[in-house]
Amino acid sequence: MAFTPVESGVGGMMVGLAAALAFLVDGKITGISGIAGPFLRDLPYEGSFTGGHQWKGLFLLGLILGGLANLPFNRDFAFPGVIDYHPVRYLLAGLCIGSGTRFGRGCTSGHGICGLPRFSLRSWIAVPTFMVMAGVMVAVTRHALKVDVQNPPGIAELQWPPKWEFPVAALVTSLVLAAVVFKLPDSIRTYVAPLVSGLIFGLGLGCSGMTSQAKVFDFLDLGGTWDPSLAFVMGCGLCVSFPAYFFYDTPDNKPLCGGDFERPPKFGNYTSLVIGALLFGCGWGLIGICPGPALVGLIPNLAFQSRNTAGISFALCFLAIVVSWLGADRIHQYIVQRQERYAAVSDESLTGGLKSLSPREVKGAPRVFTIAVAPCMVFYGPLYGLFWPCIPAPRGKKNK
């Protein structure tokens, strides 16, 4: 793949514009996994298509339409074709991507475009974690196991002159649509704003090259012919989204449509964050797909590659992402509830605390410990032991 800084940079600006628009108008964080997962989880319930659920549905509709808008003018770049891997690889990667983004509470959009400009420590941990993990997976499959095509070391050739016509036209259209949203009456803007945000986001993913598996792989493959295009996606996207989060995310400000800004926790719960980021990075490095491009590319890839296994495998991957979203949500809620119960017990006497739990719950404590705490010990245990003599002792005690 060629190095396309102009096309990818313009696409990144549209992704950042969509994130800024959703935040300023509705106070929403545009993390695709955090939008699609809860939307699908609550979809079966009657009367749920209101409020936040309605916003998610309209945004996802706009996201799909934005991807389809790339087809007439930008198909070769946005949807060059699905790589024909074994369906099992797509299935396993989809499970990793879905569960990882839900356990880690974010992906490239939620933690990258939205979390980094909020100076969220969780996002600053998650982004390098899943990026490194994805790079490791590409290095293993391309260079160690040699199961994928290996490119010679170097940097991808610059595409010049750039194919700027459609990306620039899409950016100008996006700016006009965003300006119109700010001028609409509140009664109409409530419905139009999420649709326009999703539309701009989908257009940006196609223009940037994030929907191309080959381009993602070449970006992650530092040992082969490295294509730095996607760095321009993140960089230009942050240049647009940063002012919205930095200057307007204050206690005194409110979204244009009222209510409050969404403020996901910036600190804490690092164990599930790291595990989720590692899982997501593993899946992303296996197939070069993350949640946004998976949703945007589902219809185009099925429509044009439905007669071969590649298109079916892509759909299987998307189905695995959805199933693992729903399953990971249940597991995460279960672990959090158990942790809250055990935290409450620790504040009481041992006897009184155990009385508040059933024998079955007490018996299940080691299992919850294994799921939630043991992985953290694997990562940080050796480091903790190395620096143990340097850790100050609690008051009244001394390290032996």
Side-chain angles (χ1 to χ4, degrees):
M1 298 294 289
F3 174 33
T4 55
V6 175
E7 297 91 325
S8 298
V10 172
M13 292 173 66
M14 282 188 279
V15 172
L17 176 63
L21 180 65
F23 187 73
L24 294 175
V25 176
D26 295 305
K28 302 295 185 181
I29 300 292
T30 51
I32 302 303
S33 61
I35 294 173
F39 175 79
L40 295 171
R41 180 193 63 203
D42 299 334
L43 192 60
Y45 300 103
E46 295 183 4
S48 62
F49 199 72
T50 57
H53 196 257
Q54 173 184 279
W55 189 94
K56 293 180 176 71
L58 292 172
F59 179 89
L60 294 174
L61 175 60
L63 185 70
I64 295 171
L65 294 176
L68 294 176
N70 283 276
L71 284 177
F73 312 103
N74 195 38
R75 177 185 167 187
D76 292 339
F77 183 76
F79 306 108
V82 181
I83 299 177
D84 193 11
Y85 293 137
H86 196 281
V88 175
R89 179 168 174 173
Y90 276 99
L91 176 63
L92 292 177
L95 294 174
C96 288
I97 293 169
S99 58
T101 52
R102 292 310 292 147
F103 280 127
R105 288 300 187 259
C107 54
T108 51
S109 56
H111 280 308
I113 298 297
C114 301
L116 295 181
R118 295 178 62 239
F119 294 101
S120 168
L121 180 60
R122 286 173 52 83
S123 296
W124 283 90
I125 292 173
V127 171
T129 300
F130 64 65
M131 293 286 287
V132 170
M133 187 63 194
V136 169
M137 292 304 301
V138 173
V140 169
T141 55
R142 284 193 172 185
H143 303 285
L145 301 180
K146 300 184 186 301
V147 295
D148 295 342
V149 177
Q150 182 179 355
N151 298 322
I155 298 179
E157 183 180 356
L158 175 67
Q159 177 174 288
W160 200 264
K163 298 179 180 179
W164 57 270
E165 293 86 354
F166 177 74
V168 171
L171 177 61
V172 172
T173 303
S174 300
L175 291 171
V176 171
L177 289 174
V180 170
V181 166
F182 281 98
K183 297 296 184 180
L184 290 174
D186 290 344
S187 58
I188 301 177
R189 184 165 50 215
T190 302
Y191 301 97
V192 175
L195 190 65
V196 169
S197 297
L199 180 69
I200 296 173
F201 204 109
L203 276 171
L205 288 178
C207 291
S208 66
M210 285 291 293
T211 50
S212 170
Q213 292 173 274
K215 203 161 189 65
V216 172
F217 280 135
D218 288 346
F219 170 70
L220 296 173
D221 186 13
L222 298 179
T225 306
W226 185 52
D227 179 4
S229 300
L230 299 192
F232 284 76
V233 179
M234 181 69 77
C236 293
L238 287 174
C239 287
V240 178
S241 66
F242 176 82
Y245 292 102
F246 185 76
F247 293 108
Y248 288 92
D249 188 10
T250 63
D252 297 332
N253 289 326
K254 297 290 183 182
L256 193 61
C257 286
D260 296 313
F261 289 114
E262 286 185 346
R263 294 184 174 93
K266 297 182 179 181
F267 308 97
N269 203 13
Y270 300 115
T271 304
S272 63
L273 174 72
V274 172
I275 294 173
L278 289 172
L279 285 172
F280 168 55
C282 180
W284 192 31
L286 278 175
I287 58 174
I289 297 171
C290 56
L295 188 58
V296 168
L298 180 62
I299 295 177
N301 289 323
L302 270 179
F304 294 103
Q305 293 191 274
S306 59
R307 295 184 179 181
N308 56 39
T309 58
I312 303 300
S313 298
F314 191 95
L316 179 65
C317 173
F318 179 77
L319 179 62
I321 291 174
V322 171
V323 171
S324 55
W325 270 340
L326 302 177
D329 261 342
R330 292 292 183 90
I331 295 173
H332 186 268
Q333 290 174 2
Y334 173 82
I335 293 174
V336 169
Q337 290 173 358
R338 284 300 185 91
Q339 288 176 331
E340 290 175 351
R341 295 294 299 275
Y342 298 135
V345 170
S346 65
D347 294 335
E348 305 172 5
S349 63
L350 179 61
T351 305
L354 290 177
K355 285 181 180 179
S356 66
L357 297 176
S358 67
R360 184 178 179 182
E361 289 176 316
V362 175
K363 188 177 180 180
R367 184 166 61 250
V368 176
F369 176 87
T370 302
I371 296 173
V373 181
C376 184
M377 296 179 65
V378 172
F379 287 112
Y380 299 110
L383 189 65
Y384 185 80
L386 180 64
F387 291 99
W388 166 249
C390 304
I391 299 175
R395 291 184 178 181
K397 296 184 179 181
K398 296 182 178 179
N399 291 334
K400 296 182 180 181

